Amino acid sequence: MQYQIDPQDCLILYAIHEAGSIKSAGHILKKDPSVILKRVQKISRETSLIEKMNGSWTLTEKGKKVALWAKEMQLSQKAVLESPTSLRLGGTMFFIERVIAPHLANSPFKEMAQKNHLEILCPSEGLETSLLRGGLDLAFACGRPNDPQIGFKKVCDERWSIVCTPKLAKKADGKLDQLLELPFLRHKSLIPEDMLKIDRHKIKTNMVFDTVAGLRSGAINGLGWTLLPRAAVLDEIQKGHLIDLSVSLQLNLKNDFLGIWWLKENKSVKEHIAPLLQWLSGSDLI
């Protein structure tokens, strides 16, 4: 693949179009007019972009279009070089909503946004796949990545909570056997018996959701009790809409660890990893 016309020749046409003569074009391009003349003669022989009329070199209509194209390319190149680079951070929808978004005006996101065009994304293909395909630069994710091309740093445990409405909490009365008599709301990707270390036949799953938002809404509306990351329901717990039963039931929930993932070959993200790790480890939402 190559240009039909040498980009340098396009610049020469643009300079002649702007300056009006080969001598003046030489001043614009900072080249000897004799050098430019040789190029112009070659362009004239090989194309219909410039011709000599009444002793002066003049651009044809096609030549003028090429000259304007060269000007546009110059301006576009300048805009690209001067534009900030993009930094794409990924996370789950609830993590972006509840953990990242409230802190975007503070460090380290504030400093990142000053140097980069910051994008906060929740890719439908999943965080690991998006990193591998180049859709993300960094991701907040749980556990270890499957692909060895993905680097990761563990930060802290992601705490989970057993929650329900105050009304259902009264029925459970702090007793696991009474809680298990109540309907359970499950996330599609969650295996509750593994986290609770309870026989799955004892859990009365009533509804299944594929979003945290739907699961949280179902719990708030009293449809049953559920398991959710603490960060996803902390606001509702603090406002009294939901009760966290994890402590009163004295259950040792199997928590996964939260960390930061990145593509190992993407060296440009290394400077951002340490500030994000420091921020995440000090967050009171996790």
Side-chain angles (χ1 to χ4, degrees), residues 20-220:
S21 69
I22 288 178
K23 183 178 179 181
S24 298
H27 291 301
I28 293 175
L29 299 173
K30 297 181 181 179
K31 289 184 178 180
D32 190 288
S34 63
V35 175
I36 293 177
L37 178 59
K38 288 180 181 179
R39 294 297 302 177
V40 167
Q41 290 170 338
K42 183 175 183 295
I43 295 169
S44 179
R45 287 195 302 271
E46 297 177 354
T47 72
S48 59
L49 301 176
I50 192 167
E51 58 188 4
K52 199 167 188 179
M53 297 180 63
N54 301 321
S56 300
W57 288 100
T58 305
L59 270 66
T60 64
E61 288 304 311
K62 279 188 179 180
K64 290 176 183 177
K65 289 180 181 179
V66 171
L68 291 174
W69 174 84
K71 181 179 181 180
E72 290 173 2
M73 289 305 100
Q74 263 192 323
L75 294 174
S76 296
Q77 186 183 70
K78 183 180 179 183
V80 168
L81 293 173
E82 292 178 353
S83 64
T85 56
S86 290
L87 180 62
R88 298 157 302 173
L89 303 179
T92 59
M93 194 172 295
F94 94 82
F95 195 86
I96 291 172
E97 174 199 0
R98 294 297 179 99
V99 183
I100 298 177
H103 293 87
L104 288 176
N106 306 321
S107 295
F109 303 105
K110 182 179 179 181
E111 289 76 14
M112 290 177 179
Q114 289 172 347
K115 298 178 182 178
N116 307 275
H117 174 66
L118 200 58
E119 296 182 35
I120 313 297
L121 307 172
C122 178
S124 58
E125 61 190 354
L127 299 173
E128 184 165 356
T129 300
S130 189
L131 283 167
L132 291 168
R133 291 181 177 177
L136 288 176
D137 297 306
L138 292 159
F140 295 95
C142 288
R144 295 172 180 269
N146 295 313
D147 197 295
Q149 296 179 79
I150 304 292
F152 74 99
K153 286 277 188 183
K154 175 182 176 181
V155 182
C156 56
D157 288 335
E158 183 183 41
R159 287 181 282 173
W160 286 68
S161 292
I162 299 171
V163 294
C164 64
T165 58
K167 184 178 179 179
L168 289 181
K170 279 187 179 181
K171 290 184 178 180
D173 194 27
K175 297 179 178 64
L176 180 59
D177 57 341
Q178 291 184 209
L179 178 70
L180 293 175
E181 291 298 317
L182 302 173
F184 177 68
L185 311 178
R186 181 173 72 83
H187 193 281
K188 190 175 182 179
S189 63
L190 185 70
I191 304 175
E193 54 268 26
D194 282 358
M195 291 194 69
L196 296 170
K197 299 175 184 176
I198 296 173
D199 188 312
R200 64 186 179 90
H201 298 293
K202 292 183 178 181
I203 301 173
K204 297 182 178 180
T205 300
N206 185 43
M207 295 183 185
V208 178
F209 297 80
D210 66 353
T211 67
V212 169
L215 195 58
R216 181 174 56 217
S217 180
I220 291 170

Side-chain angles (χ1 to χ4, degrees), residues 253-270:
L253 296 180
K254 182 183 176 184
N255 297 318
D256 209 343
F257 68 79
L258 182 67
I260 294 175
W261 295 5
W262 68 93
L263 192 63
K264 289 178 181 177
E265 66 181 32
N266 187 358
K267 307 299 183 185
S268 65
V269 303
K270 283 195 171 182

